[in-house]
Amino acid sequence: MLGACSIAQAQKGTPADMVHVKGGTFVPLYGSNNQAVTVQGFQLDKYPVTNAQYEAFVAKYPKWQKSEVKALFADAGYLKHWASPLGVGPAADKLKDSPVINVSWFAAKAYCECQGKRLPTVSEWEFAALASETKKDASSEPSFYQRSLDWYSQPNPKYLPPVQNSFKNYYGLFGMIGLVWEWTSDFNSALIVGESRQNASMDRQLFCGAGSAGASDVKNYVAFMRYAFRSSLKANYTVANLGFRCAQDAPAPTTAKK
């Protein structure tokens, strides 16, 4: 079984490390027909999963250690920023609170399942990511999309910042924009670009963020970058700026007894 683990029991209410995102409708950037999508209420981790959290996971489930994982489930770049099979190593002080990267979809899925959670869907992630600092829907604000363009145009830093130091949106979610790309459960649900991985390096920026400077429509460029990136992936790929966070279904409302 791929994610064989001791499944944690789902908590009632919203766990302390998650936030509740009230459901609603939105028109996704990646849609081609401008039709609204309905998203049911769900719970999402406040932060992307950190290196320290992932260290604890591989210690408990050795099959996901970098020296043990099968190539079917993760390519050769899996956890390559860690100095040892069991952890980050000498750079732990700089990376323990930073988002874990170089993890495959299979590994991210297994991690979430072992927490009694799951990966968010594309629609859930995009819905939650539409929030600015003060609004849950900032889709009409060009300045909101500019944040993404500014991030796309910057090279990856040697050490990613701690997750708690990243952009915090209306829901209390940190790093939805400007920190790392994030896996979703259905990342390949709408393949809008065809790209071969032959002779390509997964260490580089997959798309040229510098091109954002001349984008005629900020919103369209953000949509292209995010969805083209997802569409270029396969489930065993690992990328140096791709992490994840976990989600849960919202608990069913309780009905008071008469």
Side-chain angles (χ1 to χ4, degrees):
M1 180 179 176
L2 172 61
C5 58
S6 301
I7 302 296
Q9 293 295 319
Q11 302 180 37
K12 293 182 178 180
T14 304
D17 61 343
M18 305 187 85
V19 300
H20 177 77
V21 180
K22 185 178 180 181
T25 59
F26 78 113
V27 178
L29 290 176
Y30 53 84
S32 60
N33 52 12
N34 293 321
Q35 289 188 348
V37 171
T38 299
V39 176
Q40 301 299 320
F42 64 101
Q43 297 176 156
L44 193 61
D45 283 353
K46 290 181 182 178
Y47 308 103
V49 174
T50 65
N51 284 287
Q53 290 173 318
Y54 203 78
E55 279 182 334
F57 169 68
V58 300
K60 190 172 183 180
Y61 305 104
K63 67 177 289 183
W64 293 106
Q65 293 173 7
K66 61 188 295 187
S67 59
E68 300 295 329
V69 69
K70 297 183 183 301
L72 176 65
F73 299 137
D75 66 20
Y78 179 67
L79 296 176
K80 68 178 182 180
H81 65 297
W82 286 15
S84 78
L86 299 179
V88 176
D93 287 346
K94 296 178 181 178
L95 289 176
K96 64 180 181 179
D97 294 325
S98 297
V100 68
I101 51 175
N102 295 313
V103 290
S104 66
W105 177 87
F106 288 117
K109 180 175 183 288
Y111 177 95
C112 292
E113 289 176 351
C114 289
Q115 317 307 312
K117 302 177 183 180
R118 58 174 174 79
L119 286 171
T121 65
V122 168
S123 292
E124 287 172 339
W125 196 97
E126 291 287 339
F127 182 80
L130 277 179
S132 65
E133 295 96 326
T134 58
K135 293 181 179 180
K136 60 183 177 181
D137 184 357
S139 60
S140 62
E141 300 178 8
S143 61
F144 174 72
Y145 296 103
Q146 188 63 44
R147 185 192 303 273
S148 293
L149 297 187
D150 292 343
W151 173 46
Y152 294 164
S153 65
Q154 298 300 314
N156 293 332
K158 182 176 180 181
Y159 299 111
L160 290 166
V163 294
Q164 62 269 26
N165 292 349
S166 57
F167 161 64
K168 179 183 178 182
N169 74 9
Y170 172 89
Y171 296 109
L173 297 167
F174 289 74
M176 293 293 286
I177 295 171
L179 188 56
V180 288
W181 303 92
E182 296 185 18
W183 283 110
T184 59
S185 60
D186 53 344
F187 69 93
N188 56 359
S189 59
L191 303 178
I192 63 170
V193 293
E195 180 185 5
S196 172
R197 278 282 160 248
Q198 293 180 359
N199 301 318
S201 169
M202 293 302 289
D203 292 336
R204 63 179 172 79
Q205 293 282 77
L206 293 186
F207 299 93
C208 180
S212 64
S216 59
D217 189 319
V218 172
K219 185 183 294 187
N220 285 349
Y221 193 84
V222 169
F224 165 76
M225 291 286 285
R226 193 178 292 163
Y227 227 69
F229 176 80
R230 290 190 182 120
S231 300
S232 74
L233 298 172
K234 290 185 179 180
N236 72 328
Y237 282 174
T238 62
V239 186
N241 58 350
L242 176 59
F244 70 99
R245 74 181 74 210
C246 306
Q248 278 182 338
D249 295 343
T254 57
T255 303
K257 295 181 179 179
K258 294 182 179 180

